């Protein structure tokens, strides 16, 4: 079992849809959770960062962490074609800044 | 977070030649930088940790003689792929740890990546 599991997709949705992206993990020591967006042939860029359990909202994006279930989610409201990218979850434990990445979910938002 | 510049963005070379990729931290003095490799539709694979003024720390299975890393200053790390072969073709990305600002402590900022194609 990999430490971080993420469905690679692709996930195809119509413009305006609510998108749910998820990762599960096995290491209970993980405390810091991030979502990165990666456009084709570009480096990842940080979207959301959360510590421990709970929700965090930033514009159309909401990140949720459920440590009891070892499950994190990223919701995108009113999805746009410009949201089409690969979304990588990442996480690390306290004292380390080397994150463990999921393999990424490819999202396609069609007009 | 930090601003990271990576160059070149795309390089094509012949088999047997060496290729150097530069990673610059433009607004932050980085004692540590990370080098990742990414295969198509795969996750990021950490290759090595670049340490300013000392030897890089390589992950298990990464050939240190094949992938030479030099971190000569607080703003520049280089990755040299020596005697490149087609199987070295990949997307190489560097990153810099965060500064503890609004984005959160210890969050990585990535360069734009360098696509290497070895013919």
């Amino acid at each position: 079992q990999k430490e971080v599991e993420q469905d690679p997709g692709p996930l195809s949705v119509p413009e305006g849809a609510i998108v749910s992206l998820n990762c599960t993990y096995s290491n209970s020591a993980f405390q810091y959770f991030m979502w990165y967006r990666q456009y084709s042939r570009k480096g990842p860029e940080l979207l959301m960062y959360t510590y421990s359990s709970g929700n965090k909202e930033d514009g159309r994006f909401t990140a949720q962490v459920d440590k009891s279930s070892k499950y994190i989610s990223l919701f995108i409201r009113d999805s746009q074609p410009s949201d089409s990218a690969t979304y990588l979850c990442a996480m690390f434990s306290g004292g380390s800044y080397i994150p463990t990445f999921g393999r990424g979910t490819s999202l396609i938002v069609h007009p | 977070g930090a601003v990271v510049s990576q160059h070149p963005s795309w390089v094509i070379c012949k088999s047997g030649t060496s290729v150097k990729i530069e990673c610059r931290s433009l607004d932050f003095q980085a004692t540590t930088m990370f080098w990742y490799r990414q295969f198509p539709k795969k996750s990021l694979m950490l290759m090595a940790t670049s340490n300013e003024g000392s030897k890089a720390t390589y992950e298990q299975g990464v050939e240190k003689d094949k992938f030479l890393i030099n971190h000569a200053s607080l703003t520049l790390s280089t990755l040299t792929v020596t005697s490149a072969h087609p199987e070295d073709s990949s997307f190489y990305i560097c990153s810099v740890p965060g500064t503890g600002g609004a984005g959160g402590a210890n969050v990585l900022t990535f360069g734009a990546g360098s696509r290497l194609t070895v013919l």
Side-chain angles (χ1 to χ4, degrees), chain A residues 6 11 13 16-23 34-37 47-50 54-66 71-80 83 87-89 105 107 109:
Chain A
Q6 186 176 11
L11 176 62
V13 301
I18 297 174
V19 175
S20 173
L21 303 166
N22 312 293
C23 289
M34 295 159 288
W35 285 95
Y36 285 87
R37 177 175 61 195
L47 268 182
M48 300 286 284
Y49 166 80
T50 53
N55 295 358
K56 186 174 184 179
E57 187 173 324
D58 184 1
R60 296 185 296 112
F61 299 91
T62 300
Q64 284 187 352
V65 175
D66 182 348
Y71 188 88
I72 68 171
S73 300
L74 176 71
F75 297 97
I76 307 174
R77 292 184 298 280
D78 188 25
S79 57
Q80 303 294 310
D83 294 327
Y87 290 81
L88 297 133
C89 64
T105 299
L107 171 66
V109 181

Side-chain angles (χ1 to χ4, degrees), chain A residues 32 34 36 38 41-44 46 49 88 92 96-99 101-104, chain B residues 32 34 36 38 41 43-44 46 91 93 103-108 110-112 115:
Chain A
Y32 300 87
M34 295 159 288
Y36 285 87
Q38 185 177 21
R41 305 191 178 195
K42 298 291 184 184
L46 180 69
Y49 166 80
L88 297 133
F92 57 87
S96 169
Y97 46 58
I98 302 178
F101 283 88
R103 62 184 295 187
Chain B
T32 301
F34 300 106
Y36 285 86
Q38 187 176 36
K41 301 189 184 300
S43 187
L44 298 165
L46 180 64
F91 194 52
I93 319 174
N106 299 334
V107 172
L108 299 182
F110 288 88
R115 183 164 302 278

Side-chain angles (χ1 to χ4, degrees), chain B residues 15 37 84-90 118-119:
Chain B
S15 185
R37 182 173 181 176
H85 287 91
E87 59 265 29
D88 299 324
S89 298
S90 193
V118 184
L119 303 176

